[in-house]
Amino acid sequence: MAIDEHLETFAGKTMYDWNVESGIQNPATSIPRIALSWEQSEAKQTWLDHFKAFLTGRRVADSSQKFTAFLEDVQASEITGLVVGSWQFYSGEEDSSQPVVEALVAAREKLPYLTALFLGDILSEENEISWIIQSDVSPLFQAFPNLQIFGVRGAQDLKFSALNHENLKTLIVESGGLAAQTVCEILGADLPELEHLELWLGTDEYGGDTTVADLQALLAGDLFPNLKTLGLRNSIIVDELAAALAGAPVVERLQTLDLSLGILTDAGAQSLLQSDRVRRLKKLDLHHHFCSAEIVSQLENLDIEVDASDPQVAEDYDGATYRYVAVSE
Amino acid sequence: MSPSASNFVTHNFVVVGNPESRRIALFQDALARMHLPAACVVSYLDLLQNRVALPDVVRRGDIVRLESPGQNWEVEKALLHLGAREDESEDWLSAREVEKLQFERGRIWPSRQWFCGLKNLLQKLEYQLAQCAPHRATHNAREIALMFDKPLCHAALCESGVAVPRSLGSPRCFEELAARMREHGCGRVFIKLAHGAGASGIVAYRTYGRRHQATTTVEMIRNSGVLFLYNSRRVRVYDDLKTIAELIDALCRQSVHVEEWLPKIAVGGKVCDARVVVIAGRAQHAVLRLSQTPMTNLHLLNARGDITMLQAKLPPRSWDAGMQSCESAMRLFPKSLCGGVDILWTPDGRRHAILEVNAWGDFLPGALHENRDSYEAQIAALQENL
């Protein structure tokens, strides 16, 4: 399976695709997605051209355009959220997000109210999640001190080289395989206000080599004093995670534990069922799992909100059993 | 019975097809529902083996409908036989080799040879129809041949200004394909057999830096060092360059048509495109083809979705613009009453492209437009035009 639809909402607001015709919509209720379109790619424009046009509210001159038209847009400077979509249109070349990050950083004074940013709302039809090449995103945190929500899709070459932020509340890393090195950087960050941490660990086939041991400091409850929601999603090691989380101090502080999209089986679910800490959560999200109907009904009988929907069936080929996470290639 | 229907009774249908085909059964059902006499069915096999000739069957005022010759092994074998060549190339079978062939489920037979056979049959039909009493035909041999020739059909669509994905032509091997992709700055392509029907021999290939991925329904089976290709219902993903090159080389030997792989819009978590039946110049039946893989062709067990889901997701006027393109595409085939046009929209729904025009793309059991199935709609269009 794969991600086939763009974000419809982000940071509680409605998404729309920004282009010169649409202009900027009401920043109080909506967030623009800046993505390179097919037409632009054919006209040899780049994502950076598109972003520049967005910032200035100005049409980019191209071969079909003899003059530039000024639009009476709401100013880009009023926006509070931004989603970066595809920055390359399958040219076959490897294009990392680095120029995009640099352009965003350079535009910091033009986006003074930015509180929510998503980097890489890219569909599998546009580029596979494990083929998206990211870069060091730390400069974004320095450039946007008011940022509260940051999400990123694709973990290849993703770095958080120096992640310290006074106001960040939500950090989401969606991937088909998250490297232990990247996890280590995230867990080393100083994020006193962080309430929601979501890591898609993925599979070792796509670089996801994170183990339970790599998450030890997080599980011990030593990090992120305000953490309320922990998502360790889309993971092949979810059974081991469940066993470790059952007795982990961090769960005491959580309201929501999200182990969805992974390959949870009865073994992992049993650990959760037996944990007093888990029973004191507000919500347990396990959707997309490989548990039996009997275990699902036990989970649903817990006194907390449980999402155990979307049960999966393992596939058998040549005597081996295969279970797949929800989002890979 | 309405006056036009009673008038219409004097016109009988002659359907050329494979008599056991469900397509013919559905067409006969449509005639019956419209209180019209059953069509006279002429079998392709009888025509191919000269047991019958159309001038002996078609009477003054009849309407002649050509159906798909597909899904019948004897007919397929006869077409391969018609297209046989006596050269040494391993990609063409000689007449004698064809005679010895046994049915194998899914086996991809030499598609260029099959197409030569089809063209030969179509010429024969055209010649016989020219000898028949005055009649009307709902299909035209030359137009069918053009629809089945993917490179020519794409070029014709492109020339007439219909929105289509960029073509990368017909490379002769994987290496040439890779060079063309670099040249065009295009990292994602669909490789289709130049003359294949349906989803036969289709590969969705993409590359990004060092990475390669081919998604396909083609199964590669090696037997004593020889590679055989089969269409299967299971979608396979190959990411090793050697296997991908071998697969694409094998397809290229049969002749391929390569197009840029455009991203498709998704509804309800699945990517989709649409099959639109254009009848008498008007886009009518539309079926949503949903998939979790790049292959959306209906007979790969993909879900058929509710077309209104897509219509609701598209920006204003985008659907209508797409339907106009489907109709424009069919204007290239003025002598064909009907064609099935495949169309995709990009994820933002702002642009569409025509993927294919199918001569026999009207087989959509259960799909209704204005309460008629695609067969009733064709019969009604003929009635209106009398």
Side-chain angles (χ1 to χ4, degrees):
Chain A
M1 211 205 94
I3 295 171
D4 289 323
E5 287 178 273
H6 287 125
L7 298 175
E8 283 175 0
T9 60
F10 181 58
K13 296 179 182 178
T14 310
M15 293 297 311
Y16 66 98
D17 282 300
W18 179 86
N19 53 62
V20 274
E21 292 82 23
S22 77
I24 293 175
Q25 297 177 13
N26 184 0
T29 56
S30 56
I31 289 184
R33 171 174 26 248
I34 313 286
L36 187 68
S37 72
W38 179 18
E39 297 92 322
Q40 291 167 320
S41 153
E42 278 186 343
K44 306 280 177 218
Q45 289 179 16
T46 65
W47 187 91
L48 298 176
D49 298 331
H50 192 47
F51 183 56
K52 200 170 145 198
F54 168 76
L55 289 175
T56 56
R58 184 181 297 176
R59 198 184 291 266
V60 172
D62 60 40
S63 50
S64 66
Q65 215 92 41
K66 292 215 170 77
F67 56 91
T68 56
F70 287 84
L71 297 169
E72 289 178 47
D73 267 339
V74 180
Q75 292 300 307
S77 62
E78 292 171 40
I79 62 158
T80 58
L82 185 69
V83 169
V84 175
S86 214
W87 53 81
Q88 54 96 35
F89 222 76
Y90 50 87
S91 63
E93 302 301 319
E94 291 193 0
D95 290 326
S96 86
S97 63
Q98 194 183 335
V100 174
V101 169
E102 286 168 1
L104 289 166
V105 169
R108 62 182 178 274
E109 281 167 14
K110 291 177 180 151
L111 302 171
Y113 304 115
L114 197 71
T115 55
L117 178 62
F118 192 96
L119 183 62
D121 184 15
I122 297 171
L123 308 182
S124 133
E125 275 281 301
E126 295 168 336
N127 200 2
E128 282 293 4
I129 189 165
S130 56
W131 291 22
I132 299 170
I133 302 185
Q134 290 290 352
S135 56
D136 187 354
V137 293
S138 300
L140 292 170
F141 297 93
Q142 286 145 22
F144 297 101
N146 297 323
L147 211 56
Q148 294 185 8
I149 303 178
F150 179 76
V152 59
R153 183 173 303 153
Q156 167 141 358
D157 295 353
L158 178 66
K159 288 190 183 62
F160 293 88
S161 65
L163 178 52
N164 300 303
H165 202 280
E166 291 289 311
N167 294 308
L168 194 71
K169 289 194 161 82
T170 297
L171 177 60
I172 300 168
V173 181
E174 299 181 356
S175 90
L178 187 56
Q181 175 60 37
T182 314
V183 168
C184 179
E185 288 170 4
I186 294 166
L187 300 190
D190 185 13
L191 302 170
E193 293 300 317
L194 193 71
E195 294 175 2
H196 179 122
L197 176 64
E198 188 176 324
L199 304 175
W200 295 28
L201 299 175
T203 88
D204 51 351
E205 276 182 80
Y206 301 112
D209 59 358
T210 304
T211 62
V212 174
D214 296 318
L215 296 162
Q216 207 48 55
L218 176 66
L219 301 186
D222 300 340
L223 311 174
F224 315 129
N226 278 312
L227 197 64
K228 293 186 179 70
T229 296
L230 176 61
L232 297 169
R233 311 181 68 194
N234 198 44
S235 172
I236 54 161
I237 59 163
V238 63
D239 275 349
E240 295 160 58
L241 288 168
L245 282 158
V250 69
V251 180
E252 298 277 4
R253 292 202 271 115
L254 296 179
Q255 292 177 354
T256 300
L257 178 61
D258 183 351
L259 301 176
S260 62
L261 309 183
I263 61 163
L264 187 77
T265 66
D266 284 358
Q270 293 280 13
S271 314
L272 297 172
L273 280 165
Q274 285 155 16
S275 161
D276 290 339
R277 289 183 163 123
V278 168
R279 289 160 180 271
R280 285 197 292 269
L281 289 166
K282 279 202 174 131
K283 184 175 180 188
L284 180 62
D285 192 346
L286 305 173
H287 78 270
H288 185 286
H289 60 82
F290 293 79
C291 298
S292 62
E294 194 196 319
I295 287 287
V296 168
S297 85
Q298 287 185 38
L299 286 163
E300 285 171 346
N301 279 332
L302 288 173
D303 265 347
I304 59 173
E305 187 189 344
V306 175
D307 183 353
S309 61
D310 200 12
Q312 304 289 308
V313 181
E315 291 178 29
D316 286 303
Y317 303 125
D318 302 331
T321 302
Y322 296 87
R323 296 186 181 88
Y324 298 105
V325 296
V327 180
S328 63
E329 258 170 43
Chain B
M1 203 181 286
S2 70
S4 70
S6 62
N7 190 18
F8 199 66
V9 168
T10 57
H11 300 274
N12 284 308
F13 275 92
V14 174
V15 177
V16 182
N18 297 329
E20 75 289 355
S21 143
R22 230 186 120 208
R23 293 165 175 268
I24 290 182
L26 289 183
F27 187 73
Q28 299 282 35
D29 289 350
L31 287 170
R33 281 196 301 276
M34 296 175 83
H35 310 290
L36 294 168
C40 163
V41 177
V42 179
S43 131
Y44 274 119
L45 203 58
D46 287 345
L47 277 169
L48 284 158
Q49 295 172 346
N50 300 317
R51 285 196 294 268
V52 65
L54 289 177
D56 302 333
V57 181
V58 177
R59 288 167 308 169
R60 173 178 287 273
D62 280 356
I63 299 171
V64 180
R65 171 180 171 84
L66 305 184
E67 252 304 347
S68 164
Q71 307 225 296
N72 177 309
W73 169 239
E74 290 306 320
V75 171
E76 189 163 351
K77 211 165 126 172
L79 291 177
L80 287 168
H81 199 270
L82 270 181
R85 270 199 204 168
E86 302 304 322
D87 68 16
E88 292 295 302
S89 153
E90 58 178 281
D91 304 306
W92 290 83
L93 300 169
S94 69
R96 185 165 304 175
E97 283 168 320
V98 172
E99 281 154 26
K100 282 190 270 180
L101 292 181
Q102 296 288 320
F103 173 74
E104 284 183 72
R105 184 170 296 280
R107 175 78 185 270
I108 301 179
W109 300 106
S111 57
R112 218 169 357 153
Q113 175 165 351
W114 175 87
F115 182 61
C116 283
L118 178 71
K119 276 201 292 194
N120 202 318
L121 167 65
L122 289 169
Q123 276 162 12
K124 181 172 178 169
L125 292 173
E126 191 181 21
Y127 177 79
Q128 289 195 1
L129 286 172
Q131 316 295 312
C132 288
H135 65 279
R136 296 175 68 193
T138 60
H139 295 71
N140 172 271
R142 283 161 206 245
E143 292 185 0
I144 292 171
L146 178 56
M147 290 187 222
F148 267 91
D149 191 321
K150 288 183 181 134
L152 274 185
C153 187
H154 180 280
L157 288 168
C158 202
E159 206 167 295
S160 69
V162 175
V164 285
R166 265 191 305 171
S167 164
L168 278 77
S170 302
R172 284 155 297 178
C173 62
F174 177 73
E175 207 177 310
E176 194 176 331
L177 170 67
R180 287 192 191 186
M181 287 172 73
R182 281 192 298 273
E183 209 173 287
H184 285 79
C186 177
R188 310 165 17 125
V189 290
F190 266 107
I191 298 139
K192 311 174 186 181
L193 286 174
H195 318 293
S200 175
I202 294 186
V203 180
Y205 166 65
R206 54 180 160 189
T207 175
Y208 191 51
R210 284 161 287 113
R211 278 158 290 225
H212 303 271
Q213 185 195 62
T215 307
T216 184
T217 48
V218 178
E219 189 179 3
M220 304 164 74
I221 293 178
R222 277 176 206 82
N223 198 343
S224 332
V226 184
L227 180 65
F228 297 94
L229 303 183
Y230 291 81
N231 288 310
S232 77
R233 296 205 157 186
R234 208 180 116 213
V235 175
R236 289 169 172 73
V237 180
Y238 300 105
D239 52 15
D240 125 73
L241 187 57
K242 189 166 162 276
T243 312
I244 292 172
E246 195 176 14
L247 169 64
I248 290 173
D249 281 344
L251 291 170
C252 286
R253 283 198 291 276
Q254 314 245 331
S255 170
V256 294
H257 170 64
V258 179
E259 276 173 15
E260 168 178 38
W261 168 4
L262 295 172
K264 295 188 184 86
I265 195 167
V267 294
K270 290 180 174 160
V271 296
C272 66
D273 59 17
R275 159 67 58 85
V276 177
V277 183
V278 179
I279 298 168
R282 211 157 58 83
Q284 301 202 16
H285 304 73
V287 169
L288 187 67
R289 312 190 302 175
L290 293 165
S291 175
Q292 291 186 329
T293 75
M295 316 291 175
T296 47
N297 303 61
L298 283 182
H299 65 261
L300 296 172
L301 305 175
N302 287 327
R304 213 197 254 181
D306 178 359
I307 198 76
T308 58
M309 285 164 62
L310 172 61
Q311 289 165 335
K313 196 162 173 185
L314 293 175
R317 293 184 299 279
S318 214
W319 173 261
D320 292 342
M323 292 308 100
Q324 281 165 17
S325 284
C326 292
E327 292 172 359
S328 305
M330 275 312 289
R331 279 198 282 276
L332 280 173
F333 307 96
K335 291 177 178 162
S336 301
L337 173 65
C338 164
V341 182
D342 296 339
I343 177 171
L344 72 69
W345 279 264
T346 49
D348 62 8
R350 281 156 49 88
R351 244 180 106 167
H352 63 264
I354 301 296
L355 299 173
E356 232 164 85
V357 182
N358 303 276
W360 291 301
D362 56 352
F363 180 61
L364 297 173
L368 299 180
H369 175 76
E370 291 167 356
N371 290 320
R372 293 170 176 145
D373 73 8
S374 64
Y375 301 108
E376 289 168 311
Q378 289 174 66
I379 297 162
L382 288 166
Q383 286 177 328
E384 281 160 24
N385 268 309
L386 277 175

